[in-house]
Amino acid sequence: MICESIEEFATALPPMTALAGLDLGTKTIGVAVSDSFRQVATPLETIKRKKFTLDAERLLEIAKGRQLGGLVLGLPRNMDGTEGPRCQSTRAFARNLEKLTDLPIGFWDERLSTVAAERALLEADTSRKRRAEVIDHVAAGYILQGVLDRLRHL
């Protein structure tokens, strides 16, 4: 089930289940997960993209293994708030994923999440090589934390 608003997503979630945040890129998918109390987002892994079926299989493996209650995809809006080709690609990914799972799928505006992740990694004095390895799942953590913070205020 694809939820267009965070309020709709919140009502579709089963209680006391963790969530996953996804940062979809053209070459990788950053994955972060929350605790079952939905308080803290933790970067988990970066999936190297291959084909949709293989990518979805890995995501659903994570969802099953961690007993997730929902998935949040970062929606890469343009800075003026409009939706471009990358948003369309993300929505298409969600529609294809929806056919494979009953988990609620929500969207979260991810503008500047990668910038925030990069800044945090720079402040932590992370090497350039290490930043390249972890940036996507750290950005997914920022996306998911934004959702968790919003859910607490609904």
Side-chain angles (χ1 to χ4, degrees):
M1 164 206 295
I2 293 178
C3 305
E4 284 301 322
S5 73
I6 205 67
E7 293 79 11
E8 181 186 351
F9 181 69
T11 59
L13 293 173
M16 296 300 292
T17 54
L19 304 177
L22 308 176
D23 181 28
L24 293 176
T26 54
K27 296 180 181 170
T28 60
I29 301 172
V31 182
V33 294
S34 75
D35 57 301
S36 60
F37 296 109
R38 301 183 189 146
Q39 298 293 308
V40 179
T42 305
L44 182 65
E45 70 177 76
T46 298
I47 299 169
K48 298 267 187 248
R49 293 195 72 172
K50 295 176 179 109
K51 292 188 336 190
F52 172 79
T53 50
L54 296 173
D55 300 343
E57 190 177 289
R58 178 63 189 132
L59 289 172
L60 296 176
E61 246 175 53
I62 293 169
K64 186 177 181 191
R66 294 187 170 262
Q67 299 172 333
L68 300 178
L71 305 170
V72 178
L73 280 66
L75 198 59
R77 293 181 189 273
N78 296 323
M79 290 309 284
D80 64 1
T82 60
E83 293 191 9
R86 288 191 57 223
C87 277
Q88 293 168 356
S89 172
T90 299
R91 289 187 184 281
F93 186 92
R95 284 191 302 274
N96 290 330
L97 193 58
E98 179 186 34
K99 296 172 187 165
L100 304 176
T101 182
D102 291 331
L103 291 174
I105 299 171
F107 298 105
W108 188 254
D109 186 345
E110 72 159 40
R111 281 181 279 190
L112 301 178
S113 63
T114 303
V115 173
E118 181 87 26
R119 184 172 295 139
L121 291 168
L122 283 169
E123 287 174 9
D125 202 26
T126 310
S127 72
R128 182 178 308 221
K129 181 177 185 275
R130 183 70 180 140
R131 280 197 314 268
E133 292 169 0
V134 302
I135 189 72
D136 295 311
H137 60 270
V138 171
Y142 271 87
I143 292 165
L144 182 55
Q145 191 63 54
V147 171
L148 298 175
D149 293 346
R150 179 70 183 112
L151 290 175
R152 273 196 293 280
H153 293 96
L154 288 179

